[in-house]
Amino acid sequence: MVQVLLVDDDIELADIMREVLANYSIELHAVHTSEEGLKELDTNRYDVVLLDIMLPRVNGLQLCQEIRYSGKPYKDVSIIMVTARTELTDMVVGLETGADDYIKKPFEPRELVARINSVLRRAERSEPRSQASAAAYPANSPGTDSQIQLHLDNNVLTIDPQRAQLLVNGNKLSITSMEFELIAALVEQPCEILSRDHLLERVHGSSVIYTRSIDALIYRLRNKIRDAGSDVDFIRTVRGRGYSLVGRPAGMIT
């Protein structure tokens, strides 16, 4: 059974969601403050975390960022932001802080279940030896044990599909399943410009989501690559067209 943690101060909503999600083989555990959420994550393992933005004291955006930069085993858990706000800015900020998806209140139970299943599928695809990881490399590559490197000036970007890892100058980045999916999509067609719609279809499995969510993911990846020690930008923006991965391929490394 899928284990989901809800952090929301609406106790009545939590009770309703618990009953409804049980019909879809999803077990919901609810806490009502950010502090309780972190304590619960320290104690138990969850597949997905649902974070309400409007939490008391420490809001959902702050909690999302704290989870992602915690350095703890739960730092890469799939996160869905839950918000009653309709502003696009709030949704994009949520993705920038590390969320994998978002859903707006009020929502239909089936919509929430679909979002949960979607982030779980992405997490599965970025597991070692997954089809999505292997697809990021040519069919004649030495296998999923291989890595690929891109060189740009004196910097090296290494993509490791077996472990779903990204390294910069030998330093491993902490990335989410969605971020790895984005890199995998860019590596499939290096130096080619990929539109936001194409990347949305690959990363989200749908092009219905706002295209600016891709911009937020690119923003996160660029920051992580820079923070890991790169002084160049491996992801190129082509205004009005999309993004491409740049660098001189060094071939496959086994």
Side-chain angles (χ1 to χ4, degrees), residues 184-254:
L186 290 169
V187 171
E188 283 179 2
Q189 302 175 67
C191 299
E192 292 190 24
I193 302 167
L194 302 182
S195 70
R196 289 173 175 83
D197 285 340
H198 175 90
L199 293 171
L200 275 171
E201 184 66 35
R202 171 60 188 273
V203 173
H204 283 281
S206 168
S207 59
V208 177
I209 311 295
Y210 289 109
T211 55
R212 282 194 60 188
S213 65
I214 288 297
D215 297 338
L217 279 175
I218 294 290
Y219 173 85
R220 277 161 47 181
L221 274 171
R222 279 177 168 153
N223 282 342
K224 289 183 178 183
I225 290 172
R226 183 194 65 237
D227 292 345
S230 174
D231 55 14
V232 296
D233 193 352
F234 282 94
I235 303 175
R236 180 168 66 106
T237 301
V238 182
R239 188 179 296 275
R241 296 184 62 188
Y243 298 98
S244 67
L245 199 62
V246 297
R248 177 173 54 83
M252 307 301 293
I253 302 173
T254 58

Side-chain angles (χ1 to χ4, degrees), residues 124-177:
E124 289 171 359
R125 285 201 299 267
S126 59
E127 285 295 320
R129 301 185 181 276
S130 69
Q131 291 181 353
S133 298
Y137 299 86
N140 60 356
S141 68
T144 54
D145 286 342
S146 302
Q147 301 173 350
I148 191 171
Q149 287 188 345
L150 293 176
H151 291 239
L152 191 57
D153 294 342
N154 294 320
N155 298 272
V156 181
L157 182 71
T158 304
I159 299 95
D160 185 339
Q162 182 187 13
R163 300 172 180 83
Q165 290 180 355
L166 186 65
L167 299 91
V168 174
N169 301 330
N171 300 315
K172 187 176 73 172
L173 279 67
S174 175
I175 59 175
T176 66
S177 61

Side-chain angles (χ1 to χ4, degrees), residues 14-250:
D15 291 338
I16 295 172
M17 288 176 58
R18 185 180 295 107
E19 291 185 17
V20 171
L21 292 179
N23 296 325
Y24 296 89
S25 297
I26 297 174
E27 186 173 353
L28 182 76
H29 303 260
V31 294
H32 309 298
T33 68
S34 294
E35 295 82 358
E36 290 174 330
L38 289 175
K39 184 180 297 185
E40 188 65 29
L41 286 170
D42 271 325
T43 307
N44 299 296
R45 181 191 175 279
Y46 289 94
D47 301 298
V48 178
V49 177
L50 306 176
L51 295 183
D52 182 34
I53 288 182
M54 301 298 290
L55 290 169
R57 295 188 297 278
V58 179
N59 65 40
L61 296 175
Q62 294 170 310
L63 177 57
C64 180
Q65 192 168 32
E66 189 166 350
I67 290 171
R68 288 294 182 234
Y69 291 95
S70 66
K72 296 189 176 183
Y74 57 71
K75 69 182 185 302
D76 294 325
V77 67
S78 297
I79 297 175
I80 300 175
M81 302 302 300
V82 181
T83 175
R85 297 178 175 181
T86 58
E87 290 87 348
L88 178 58
T89 301
D90 290 329
M91 301 172 191
V92 173
V93 170
L95 291 168
E96 287 176 351
T97 57
D100 294 291
D101 209 339
Y102 50 79
I103 189 169
K104 293 184 291 184
K105 295 178 180 177
F107 50 79
E108 291 289 334
R110 284 177 296 180
E111 181 186 3
L112 177 59
V113 171
R115 295 297 177 91
I116 291 172
N117 288 335
S118 178
V119 297
L120 288 175
R121 283 194 299 271
R122 287 198 297 268
E124 289 171 359
R125 285 201 299 267
S126 59
E127 285 295 320
R129 301 185 181 276
S130 69
Q131 291 181 353
S133 298
Y137 299 86
N140 60 356
S141 68
T144 54
D145 286 342
S146 302
Q147 301 173 350
I148 191 171
Q149 287 188 345
L150 293 176
H151 291 239
L152 191 57
D153 294 342
N154 294 320
N155 298 272
V156 181
L157 182 71
T158 304
I159 299 95
D160 185 339
Q162 182 187 13
R163 300 172 180 83
Q165 290 180 355
L166 186 65
L167 299 91
V168 174
N169 301 330
N171 300 315
K172 187 176 73 172
L173 279 67
S174 175
I175 59 175
T176 66
S177 61
M178 187 182 291
E179 290 164 354
F180 187 81
E181 284 288 315
L182 180 58
I183 281 291
L186 290 169
V187 171
E188 283 179 2
Q189 302 175 67
C191 299
E192 292 190 24
I193 302 167
L194 302 182
S195 70
R196 289 173 175 83
D197 285 340
H198 175 90
L199 293 171
L200 275 171
E201 184 66 35
R202 171 60 188 273
V203 173
H204 283 281
S206 168
S207 59
V208 177
I209 311 295
Y210 289 109
T211 55
R212 282 194 60 188
S213 65
I214 288 297
D215 297 338
L217 279 175
I218 294 290
Y219 173 85
R220 277 161 47 181
L221 274 171
R222 279 177 168 153
N223 282 342
K224 289 183 178 183
I225 290 172
R226 183 194 65 237
D227 292 345
S230 174
D231 55 14
V232 296
D233 193 352
F234 282 94
I235 303 175
R236 180 168 66 106
T237 301
V238 182
R239 188 179 296 275
R241 296 184 62 188
Y243 298 98
S244 67
L245 199 62
V246 297
R248 177 173 54 83

